[in-house]
Amino acid sequence: MNEVKKNFSKWMYWFVLAVAIIVVYKFFDNFTNIFGAIGTFFSTIAPFLAGILLAYLLYIPASRIEEGLKKTKNRFLRKRSRGISVLLTIILSILIIIIIVNVILPVVIESVIELVNNFQGYWNTTVEKINDLPENSILKSDKVKDAIKSIGESIQDVDLNEYINPEKITSYLKSVVGVAKGIFDVFVTIVVSIYILLQRTQIVEFFKKFGKAILDTNTYGKIGKYFSNGNIIFFKFISSQLLDAIIVGVLVTIAMTILKVKYAVLLGFVIGLFNMIPYFGAIIAVALSILITVITGGLSQAIVMAVVVIILQQVDANIINPKIIGNSLEMSPLLVIFAVTVGGAYFGVLGMFLAVPVAAVLKIIVNDFIDKRIEEKT
């Protein structure tokens, strides 16, 4: 009897192995079709995913407005605080988008196009000024001359207007917002986000019950803790970085306008946008702004602009940013730099932006693991 069982187990092992090999073969044989089906599925649910993301981003303003309505003495507003808060949040978001599209973007796009069209002239003027400098100037060293020559040749070989013009910029903007393609997808995205915001309490309760049903108490508690902490970190970081970027962008634009720096709005927009990336963003944006100002306004104006912008950056780093973000992340600068470097290397600009909150969550998990191991050993 034991011999029969042994032979049966042996044959079952070979049978399962053969089936597994066939399945793997068929999988790779239909590799293109399978990934095509997966791609079609994700393309279909893209509006729903965009709706979830939109609801996540709008949760903070919606919840703050709801809290304010609940504190009012008006019974009607208190009773319908959830719906009214969602409606006001959507209206405010639409107004902000309209202002950006109709006021800020046209100025930025016009500045970019003008800069591109006149860049060759600006560059030639800069080269002439450098050539007029004394022979002992550091800017007339062989390395600088070679660098200028190399940049000049690359500019002549590339037609920037081919890549930056009204039609191309429009296509770039469409590709950026291409997650929701078409009027129907945009409509679905907005509707999904509204329903999630309205029914967020029920949705959270469902996932809590589902988690309790499939997980043991200890695992459920850990996942709940990390999800809650991670959610707070992401909300705090994303909202505060966005607010900080707007403040810095406005301040820099005003300062550059007072200094009569050409393309002040464009440079302020770039500095504010890049300021959302910790450490590296500010350095890259300021360096780019200095280069453009040197070309368009001369070295003296660039130095004054650089001093003013660096002062504003220090005010932001030491006063504004800490006030907005606080000490919720509790991360050392070394860990932040490491996280941003790794995130940028593997996931580009988005990775640089999201690296800090992800690293903060991982830091909590690692610290809990270390504390538990130490506690077990003592």
Side-chain angles (χ1 to χ4, degrees):
M1 190 69 179
N2 291 333
E3 186 66 26
V4 174
K5 286 184 177 180
K6 187 176 180 181
N7 288 332
F8 178 76
S9 299
K10 182 179 179 181
W11 282 108
M12 281 299 297
Y13 168 79
W14 288 109
F15 174 75
V16 172
L17 179 63
V19 170
I21 292 172
I22 293 171
V23 170
V24 172
Y25 170 77
K26 285 294 183 182
F27 176 82
F28 284 102
D29 188 45
N30 296 282
F31 193 77
T32 305
N33 295 332
I34 290 172
F35 273 85
I38 294 173
T40 302
F41 172 73
F42 277 104
S43 177
T44 304
I45 67 170
F48 295 91
L49 297 177
I52 294 171
L53 177 61
L54 181 60
Y56 187 84
L57 295 174
L58 296 180
Y59 168 75
I60 291 180
S63 61
R64 296 286 172 82
I65 294 173
E66 183 180 353
E67 289 174 5
L69 292 174
K70 284 181 177 179
K71 294 177 182 179
T72 60
K73 295 180 180 180
N74 190 305
R75 185 180 176 184
F76 177 84
L77 295 178
R78 288 201 310 270
K79 190 175 180 180
R80 294 168 177 79
S81 58
R82 175 67 59 86
I84 295 173
S85 66
V86 173
L87 177 62
L88 290 176
T89 302
I90 296 296
I91 292 173
L92 288 172
S93 301
I94 293 172
L95 287 175
I96 291 171
I97 292 172
I98 290 173
I99 291 171
I100 291 173
V101 171
N102 291 282
V103 178
I104 299 175
L105 274 184
V107 177
V108 172
I109 292 172
E110 184 182 347
S111 298
V112 171
I113 294 172
E114 184 184 338
L115 175 62
V116 170
N117 290 333
N118 298 320
F119 193 81
Q120 185 67 60
Y122 289 138
W123 183 256
N124 292 337
T125 303
T126 303
V127 172
E128 289 176 5
K129 289 181 179 179
I130 292 174
N131 290 333
D132 292 338
L133 292 173
E135 290 298 326
N136 59 352
S137 174
I138 190 173
L139 294 176
K140 299 196 73 171
S141 63
D142 293 336
K143 290 184 178 180
V144 174
K145 285 181 179 179
D146 292 340
I148 293 173
K149 183 179 178 182
S150 176
I151 295 172
E153 290 174 352
S154 64
I155 292 172
Q156 291 174 353
D157 294 338
V158 177
D159 183 11
L160 294 176
N161 288 295
E162 182 182 344
Y163 302 96
I164 303 177
N165 55 59
E167 291 76 17
K168 285 289 183 181
I169 291 174
T170 302
S171 67
Y172 296 152
L173 292 175
K174 285 182 179 179
S175 66
V176 170
V177 295
V179 177
K181 54 184 188 309
I183 297 174
F184 177 75
D185 286 357
V186 172
F187 176 76
V188 171
T189 298
I190 295 173
V191 170
V192 169
S193 66
I194 291 173
Y195 272 108
I196 292 175
L197 288 171
L198 288 173
Q199 301 179 352
R200 59 181 182 268
T201 304
Q202 296 92 317
I203 293 171
V204 171
E205 286 300 320
F206 168 77
F207 280 108
K208 284 183 177 179
K209 287 183 179 179
F210 183 75
K212 287 180 180 178
I214 64 172
L215 301 171
D216 60 77
T217 306
N218 187 36
T219 305
Y220 173 79
K222 286 182 178 179
I223 292 176
K225 173 189 172 183
Y226 294 135
F227 181 82
S228 178
N229 289 339
N231 203 32
I232 292 171
I233 289 171
F234 270 88
F235 271 136
K236 184 83 173 176
F237 181 79
I238 293 173
S239 60
S240 58
Q241 286 294 97
L242 181 60
L243 178 59
D244 184 62
I246 293 172
I247 293 172
V248 171
V250 171
L251 290 176
V252 169
T253 301
I254 293 171
M256 287 189 178
T257 303
I258 294 172
L259 294 173
K260 296 182 179 179
V261 174
K262 200 168 181 62
Y263 310 120
V265 176
L266 172 62
L267 297 181
F269 177 81
V270 170
I271 290 176
L273 186 65
F274 275 75
N275 204 66
M276 297 180 71
I277 301 172
Y279 291 99
F280 296 108
I283 296 171
I284 294 170
V286 172
L288 182 63
S289 299
I290 291 172
L291 177 61
I292 292 175
T293 307
V294 166
I295 294 172
T296 59
L299 184 60
S300 58
Q301 189 182 51
I303 292 173
V304 175
M305 185 276 293
V307 171
V308 172
V309 171
I310 290 171
I311 291 172
L312 289 175
Q313 289 282 2
Q314 291 302 310
V315 171
D316 172 62
N318 294 287
I319 299 175
I320 300 174
N321 196 277
K323 287 288 184 183
I324 296 174
I325 298 178
N327 298 318
S328 59
L329 298 180
E330 297 180 353
M331 290 176 61
S332 69
L334 182 62
L335 182 57
V336 172
I337 293 172
F338 176 77
V340 172
T341 303
V342 174
Y346 286 95
F347 303 103
V349 176
L350 182 63
M352 295 177 75
F353 173 65
L354 295 177
V356 175
V358 170
V361 175
L362 292 176
K363 178 175 174 283
I364 294 172
I365 296 173
V366 171
N367 284 340
D368 284 353
F369 172 77
I370 293 172
D371 292 339
K372 184 180 178 182
R373 294 291 293 176
I374 293 173
E375 185 180 342
E376 289 175 352
K377 291 183 178 182
T378 55

